Amino acid sequence: MNTKMRLLAVPALALGTLALTSTPALAHGEDSWSNQATLGTMNNSGTTGQAMVDVHGMEATVTLNVAGAAETFMDGPFPHAQHIHIAAQGTCPGPEADTDGDGVVNTTEGHPFYGHIGTSLTTTGDTSADSALAVERFPGGSSYTYERTLELTPETAASLKDGSAVVVVHGVDPTRMPAAASAKMSDLDPSLPAAATLPAACGTLVASQMGAMPDGAADTGVEAATAADSAGMTIAAAGVGLAALVLGGTAVAGRRARS
Ligand SMILES: [Cu+2]
């Protein structure tokens, strides 16, 4: 009974894997890869986070989890401008980047490290640098999850691939800033307070080994794709890996995944 049910389940599961895998893999042999970043606090903001970017050709699904961010701004949720910065050193600046000595590293002072905006991580509409400070189209509040599938520019795709893309989340509670710095206007937009655009968290998007597939099947699929560079091989390997998991139990599947 139990065995029969397992056997019956195999074709359906294998088909499911095939369908899931084939969407990106069959898209004209496009490049697919993933980047991940751990976002570290900048400017004493207390803000941290995680970012994941799954790239399929010129399309990317961006996921961000942010915590410890500034909560309110003029009685509403504090808007957090967030971008993928590109084409510089691919690093996050330390306190020594504060060239004007006001006790904070503003966005402009960080440009030599993380570069200029390649993609604005807005919630709707345009994602170009034109939307850098479209505050009504960014997430807000002290913690949030962001997910959006968007079109990459060739420049952003290139930086993601070579490891020089950096996620920067902006907007710091002014009470956490030195008084003189919090009294300034933004270096990016003189109509906004400095706190609204000050970098709060930053992380370099490094290549991820995980890919989009879950658990044991991921290693097999990713390695097959790299070695064979063939969509068919990837699908076959993922299907076999999952069948082995169902039929043979975790010992067989584990060996397969590591081989
Ligand atoms: Cu930015």
Side-chain angles (χ1 to χ4, degrees):
M1 175 64 180
N2 203 4
T3 307
K4 190 179 178 187
M5 280 181 68
R6 281 186 185 177
L7 286 170
L8 284 172
V10 170
L13 280 168
L15 273 175
T17 305
L18 201 149
L20 282 173
T21 310
S22 63
T23 306
L26 296 182
H28 313 107
E30 287 172 335
D31 259 357
S32 293
W33 73 90
S34 296
N35 295 71
Q36 282 181 310
T38 298
L39 309 185
T41 293
M42 278 186 66
N43 292 313
N44 190 42
S45 69
T47 307
T48 57
Q50 298 284 332
M52 162 83 84
V53 182
D54 287 318
V55 182
H56 301 296
M58 293 304 291
E59 197 174 84
T61 299
V62 179
T63 309
L64 263 175
N65 287 296
V66 173
E71 187 166 13
T72 54
F73 182 74
M74 294 174 68
D75 297 326
F78 200 118
H80 293 290
Q82 49 183 21
H83 317 108
I84 300 176
H85 288 248
I86 61 165
Q89 297 176 39
T91 59
C92 295
E96 70 281 1
D98 173 23
T99 48
D100 69 3
D102 64 355
V104 295
V105 176
N106 66 30
T107 300
T108 308
E109 289 169 333
H111 282 155
F113 298 84
Y114 47 60
H116 288 261
I117 294 169
T119 298
S120 294
L121 299 175
T122 52
T123 51
T124 60
D126 175 65
T127 58
S128 75
D130 293 343
S131 296
L133 295 176
V135 288
E136 73 285 357
R137 289 190 288 116
F138 285 112
S142 60
S143 68
Y144 59 87
T145 298
Y146 168 89
E147 182 174 337
R148 187 172 178 192
T149 298
L150 44 79
E151 199 75 16
L152 297 172
T153 65
E155 294 77 17
T156 300
S159 271
L160 284 166
K161 195 156 204 184
D162 72 18
S164 64
V166 180
V167 171
V168 181
V169 175
H170 302 260
V172 176
D173 186 331
T175 65
R176 300 183 74 115
M177 297 168 62
S182 71
K184 287 184 177 181
M185 298 312 281
S186 166
D187 52 312
L188 303 180
D189 181 342
S191 73
L192 293 171
T197 65
L198 193 67
C202 176
T204 302
L205 284 158
V206 297
S208 163
Q209 302 303 311
M210 290 295 289
M213 280 186 289
D215 302 326
D219 290 335
T220 311
V222 169
E223 282 169 21
T226 307
D229 198 29
S230 153
M233 289 286 290
T234 309
I235 291 164
V240 168
L242 187 54
L245 193 75
V246 174
L247 283 171
T250 50
V252 172
R255 275 204 303 279
R256 202 173 270 280
R258 278 189 294 274
S259 64

